[in-house]
Coordinates of all heavy atoms in Angstrom, one line a residue:
S13 N 83.7 109.3 100.4 CA 84.6 108.6 101.4 C 83.8 107.6 102.2 O 84.5 106.6 102.7 CB 85.2 109.7 102.3 OG 84.2 110.4 103.0
M14 N 82.5 107.7 102.3 CA 81.8 106.7 103.1 C 81.8 105.4 102.4 O 81.8 104.3 103.1 CB 80.3 107.2 103.3 CG 80.1 108.5 104.0 SD 78.5 109.1 104.0 CE 77.6 107.8 104.7
V15 N 81.9 105.3 101.1 CA 81.9 104.1 100.4 C 83.2 103.3 100.6 O 83.2 102.1 100.7 CB 81.7 104.3 98.9 CG1 81.7 103.0 98.1 CG2 80.4 105.0 98.6
L16 N 84.3 104.0 100.8 CA 85.6 103.4 100.9 C 85.6 102.6 102.2 O 86.5 101.7 102.3 CB 86.7 104.4 100.9 CG 86.9 105.2 99.6 CD1 87.9 106.3 99.7 CD2 87.1 104.3 98.4
G17 N 84.7 102.9 103.1 CA 84.7 102.1 104.3 C 83.9 100.8 104.3 O 83.7 100.2 105.3
Q18 N 83.4 100.5 103.1 CA 82.5 99.3 102.9 C 83.3 98.0 102.7 O 82.7 97.0 102.6 CB 81.5 99.5 101.8 CG 80.6 100.7 102.0 CD 79.8 100.7 103.2 OE1 79.2 99.6 103.5 NE2 79.8 101.7 104.0
A19 N 84.6 98.1 102.6 CA 85.4 96.9 102.4 C 85.2 95.8 103.5 O 85.1 94.6 103.3 CB 86.9 97.2 102.3
G20 N 85.0 96.3 104.8 CA 84.7 95.4 105.8 C 83.4 94.6 105.7 O 83.3 93.5 106.0
M21 N 82.4 95.3 105.1 CA 81.1 94.7 104.8 C 81.3 93.6 103.8 O 80.7 92.5 103.9 CB 80.1 95.7 104.4 CG 78.7 95.1 104.1 SD 77.5 96.3 103.5 CE 77.3 97.3 104.9
L22 N 82.1 93.8 102.8 CA 82.4 92.8 101.8 C 83.1 91.6 102.4 O 82.8 90.4 102.0 CB 83.3 93.4 100.7 CG 82.6 94.5 99.8 CD1 83.6 94.9 98.8 CD2 81.3 94.1 99.2
G23 N 84.0 91.8 103.4 CA 84.7 90.8 104.1 C 83.6 89.9 104.8 O 83.8 88.7 104.8
V24 N 82.7 90.5 105.5 CA 81.7 89.8 106.2 C 80.9 88.9 105.3 O 80.5 87.8 105.5 CB 80.7 90.7 107.0 CG1 79.5 90.0 107.6 CG2 81.5 91.4 108.1
A25 N 80.6 89.5 104.1 CA 79.7 88.8 103.1 C 80.4 87.5 102.6 O 79.8 86.5 102.3 CB 79.4 89.7 102.0
I26 N 81.8 87.5 102.5 CA 82.5 86.3 102.1 C 83.0 85.5 103.2 O 83.9 84.7 103.1 CB 83.6 86.7 101.1 CG1 84.6 87.5 101.8 CG2 83.0 87.4 99.8 CD1 85.9 87.8 100.9
S27 N 82.5 85.8 104.5 CA 82.9 85.0 105.6 C 84.4 85.2 106.0 O 85.0 84.3 106.6 CB 82.6 83.5 105.5 OG 81.2 83.4 105.3
N28 N 84.9 86.3 105.6 CA 86.3 86.6 105.9 C 86.4 88.1 106.3 O 86.9 88.9 105.6 CB 87.3 86.3 104.8 CG 88.7 86.4 105.1 OD1 89.1 86.9 106.2 ND2 89.6 85.9 104.2
P29 N 85.9 88.4 107.6 CA 85.8 89.8 107.9 C 87.1 90.6 107.8 O 87.0 91.8 107.5 CB 85.3 89.7 109.4 CG 84.6 88.4 109.5 CD 85.4 87.5 108.6
T30 N 88.2 90.0 108.2 CA 89.5 90.7 108.1 C 90.0 90.7 106.7 O 91.0 91.4 106.4 CB 90.5 90.1 109.1 OG1 90.7 88.7 108.7 CG2 89.9 90.1 110.5
M31 N 89.4 89.9 105.8 CA 89.9 89.8 104.4 C 91.4 89.3 104.4 O 92.1 89.8 103.5 CB 89.7 91.0 103.6 CG 88.2 91.2 103.3 SD 87.8 92.1 101.8 CE 88.0 93.7 102.3
Q32 N 91.7 88.5 105.4 CA 93.1 88.0 105.4 C 93.4 87.1 104.2 O 92.6 86.2 103.9 CB 93.2 87.1 106.7 CG 94.6 86.9 107.2 CD 94.6 86.3 108.6 OE1 93.9 86.8 109.5 NE2 95.3 85.2 108.8
G33 N 94.5 87.4 103.5 CA 94.9 86.6 102.4 C 94.1 86.9 101.1 O 94.3 86.2 100.1
V34 N 93.2 87.8 101.2 CA 92.3 88.1 100.0 C 93.0 89.1 99.1 O 93.5 90.2 99.5 CB 90.9 88.6 100.5 CG1 90.1 89.1 99.3 CG2 90.2 87.6 101.2
D35 N 92.9 88.9 97.8 CA 93.4 89.8 96.8 C 92.3 90.7 96.3 O 91.4 90.2 95.6 CB 94.0 89.0 95.6 CG 94.7 89.9 94.6 OD1 94.6 91.1 94.7 OD2 95.4 89.4 93.7
Q36 N 92.3 91.9 96.7 CA 91.2 92.8 96.3 C 91.4 93.5 94.9 O 90.6 94.3 94.5 CB 91.0 93.9 97.4 CG 90.7 93.4 98.7 CD 90.4 94.5 99.7 OE1 89.5 95.3 99.5 NE2 91.0 94.4 100.9
S37 N 92.5 93.2 94.3 CA 92.8 93.8 93.0 C 92.3 93.0 91.8 O 92.5 93.4 90.7 CB 94.3 94.1 92.9 OG 95.0 92.8 92.8

C-alpha cells in the first residue's frame, strides 16, 4: 500500500504535482 501513495512523487517529477489533466491509464 505504501507504493500506491507514490503517484504524487510522479507528479512532481513531471512538474505537475496535482497531475491535473493527466491521463494515468
Side-chain angles (χ1 to χ4, degrees):
S13 59
M14 298 173 59
V15 178
L16 297 177
Q18 299 303 310
M21 183 183 292
L22 296 181
V24 172
I26 64 171
S27 302
N28 187 347
T30 62
M31 290 208 276
Q32 198 169 311
V34 174
D35 187 349
Q36 297 186 55
S37 67

